[in-house]
Amino acid sequence: MDAAQQYNTNGRGYIPLLDWAKQHTQKLHAPPAGQQVVITSGSNHAIDMVLCCLLNRGDSLLCDEYTYSHLVEAMVGPKGYNAVPVPMDDFGMTPESLDKTMQDLTAKGDPLPKVLYLVPNGQNPVSYIAPLERRHALYRMCRKYDLMIVEDDPYFYLQFPYDRDVPGLWKLGRSYLSLDTDGRVVRLDSFAKFLAPGFRLGWLTAHPTFVDKLTFHMHGTALGPCSTTQVMIAELMQHWGPEGLDSHLKSLQTVYKRRAQLMHSSAQQYLQGLASWLPPEAGMFMWMKLEGGVKDADDIIDALKDEQVAVVPGRISHCNGPRPAFPCPYVRLSFVMAPEEDIPKGMQRLANVIKKVQTT
């Protein structure tokens, strides 16, 4: 209880939790370049600190064309950074599109970005999982252009392959950190999505020099993460052990998989010919392109509200901000919040609204 009520006496976090994070990261990712760990106050605070350490006002970072909206709205714009969109396919940005983006910037004489921001698993909003071969290729491209990689991976533990058993703790796949022989990856992990978001706690893994710099920044702005929360989670991780965490994750992944498949099957039932999508295999969302005559998702938002259906228009997550100057037919659907019995009803109501557009 004494530690829970005091300031952080160790700059990188409460030592039992820090030791757990080090051992956990080593087992899952085996960082190959001597990377070190620091406890953070959750992913959003960590992203903000990372960008403050890597970028100056006017600098640019690269990200998926559709990316985490909070990054653009609350960090990139207010801090004076520039977000450069990289075209995507169903599995995120491609190495070819990243290469072309950098070549185009070079040809125009524009300053080149310093940072690549990625959410490789269950990406918000598109929900893709980047294939391993693509991760290798993108890492090689970052070496070519000397880019730092911010690997923001809050949905890492929420993977649930459509046609295989849930992975639990030990079959979650390779990270960019595990490929990082150069020390150019800054990896962000979070307890929010597999324990509770209210804890506001996570951990960051990066080159030792960067971890030192970020630790000073964190203590200069926030005096470190909440001590009480660190003690609570350290006790829980010690109580569970790896086997208990594996069991918890399998249970969570099974629930998310059931809900995601219910949304997918409901879309197959009601939205064939009216929309296109892929079944989610990680994260919390389904990304859907509206068809059936709908050119811009904003055009049906009011009608969906009348039907008591909540979706997020895709333009909110566009790299250029919530109001890009072109029609956006995409929406983000969540299969996590609604009661399971409401998911088919919501998909049917979405279909009905699209059908009304066809008849007007």
Side-chain angles (χ1 to χ4, degrees):
M1 286 302 296
D2 288 345
Q5 298 177 74
Q6 292 295 333
Y7 292 117
N8 290 277
T9 56
N10 179 60
R12 295 189 180 178
Y14 178 56
I15 290 176
L17 183 61
L18 182 63
D19 289 343
W20 174 87
K22 290 177 181 178
Q23 295 168 15
H24 180 81
T25 299
Q26 183 62 39
K27 288 178 182 177
L28 263 63
H29 306 287
Q35 289 90 340
Q36 295 182 4
V37 176
V38 58
I39 304 300
T40 65
S41 299
S43 288
N44 281 323
H45 185 226
I47 296 168
D48 185 57
M49 291 192 298
V50 168
L51 296 185
C52 283
C53 290
L54 293 177
L55 300 177
N56 296 312
R57 180 172 290 271
D59 285 343
S60 298
L61 73 156
L62 299 139
C63 50
D64 286 319
E65 183 178 10
Y66 290 93
T67 190
Y68 178 38
S69 60
H70 192 76
L71 171 80
V72 177
E73 292 183 336
M75 301 177 203
V76 171
K79 295 293 179 71
Y81 312 137
N82 301 308
V84 178
V86 181
M88 309 165 65
D89 62 14
D90 289 335
F91 302 100
M93 70 174 66
T94 67
E96 295 78 14
S97 63
L98 176 57
D99 194 23
K100 185 176 186 305
T101 298
M102 295 297 283
Q103 289 179 10
D104 290 346
L105 291 171
T106 302
K108 291 190 294 184
D110 292 345
L112 294 182
K114 300 177 180 180
V115 175
L116 175 64
Y117 173 84
L118 293 166
V119 183
N121 297 292
Q123 189 254 22
N124 178 3
V126 179
S127 201
Y128 68 76
I129 298 177
L132 179 58
E133 59 272 18
R134 180 167 298 188
R135 301 183 194 211
H136 278 287
L138 285 170
Y139 187 84
R140 290 193 296 269
M141 201 60 62
C142 290
R143 299 183 82 176
K144 175 180 177 180
Y145 291 106
D146 195 22
L147 293 165
M148 292 290 289
I149 300 171
V150 178
E151 181 181 24
D152 182 19
D153 211 358
Y155 306 104
F156 177 66
Y157 300 94
L158 298 183
Q159 298 181 51
F160 38 85
Y162 189 78
D163 57 355
R164 302 190 305 278
D165 291 339
V166 295
L169 177 60
W170 304 115
K171 298 179 180 179
L172 289 166
R174 298 283 300 276
S175 62
Y176 282 98
L177 177 64
S178 73
L179 311 177
D180 184 26
T181 54
D182 297 345
R184 68 178 62 253
V185 172
V186 179
R187 178 177 170 83
L188 309 179
D189 283 284
S190 174
F191 291 104
K193 301 301 187 291
F194 72 93
L195 288 183
F199 285 133
R200 306 313 310 142
L201 209 63
W203 66 101
L204 177 151
T205 311
H207 188 277
T209 302
F210 184 82
V211 169
D212 284 343
K213 183 176 182 179
L214 183 130
T215 300
F216 279 115
H217 177 76
M218 178 168 59
H219 279 266
T221 57
L223 296 178
C226 172
S227 296
T228 303
T229 306
Q230 291 185 77
V231 171
M232 290 171 58
I233 292 183
E235 291 293 318
L236 178 61
M237 293 299 103
Q238 182 178 7
H239 174 72
W240 271 354
E243 295 78 12
L245 180 57
D246 178 59
S247 176
H248 169 71
L249 291 176
K250 284 180 177 177
S251 176
L252 191 62
Q253 292 159 358
T254 298
V255 172
Y256 276 50
K257 181 173 184 175
R258 184 179 69 241
R259 286 173 157 269
Q261 291 187 342
L262 175 60
M263 180 167 277
H264 173 57
S265 63
S266 299
Q268 288 180 311
Q269 181 178 357
Y270 296 113
L271 286 156
Q272 294 284 3
L274 301 174
S276 56
W277 67 92
L278 290 176
E281 296 189 271
M284 303 165 62
F285 309 111
M286 174 186 280
W287 184 245
M288 179 174 285
K289 182 179 181 180
L290 303 180
E291 297 168 352
V294 179
K295 293 182 173 58
D296 194 324
D298 278 2
D299 294 340
I300 64 169
I301 291 300
D302 288 341
L304 288 172
K305 288 180 181 177
D306 291 341
E307 295 291 333
Q308 296 185 310
V309 175
V311 304
V312 176
R315 70 170 65 253
I316 288 176
S317 298
H318 194 273
C319 183
N320 288 337
R323 291 290 159 193
F326 56 84
C328 179
Y330 295 100
V331 292
R332 191 195 75 180
L333 313 177
S334 173
F335 50 81
V336 174
M337 297 300 294
E340 289 189 33
E341 61 270 18
D342 286 348
I343 292 175
K345 298 174 186 176
M347 303 304 272
Q348 185 177 23
R349 292 177 186 181
L350 174 58
N352 290 339
V353 168
I354 297 174
K355 289 174 182 176
K356 288 179 183 177
V357 171
Q358 291 181 318
T359 60
T360 57

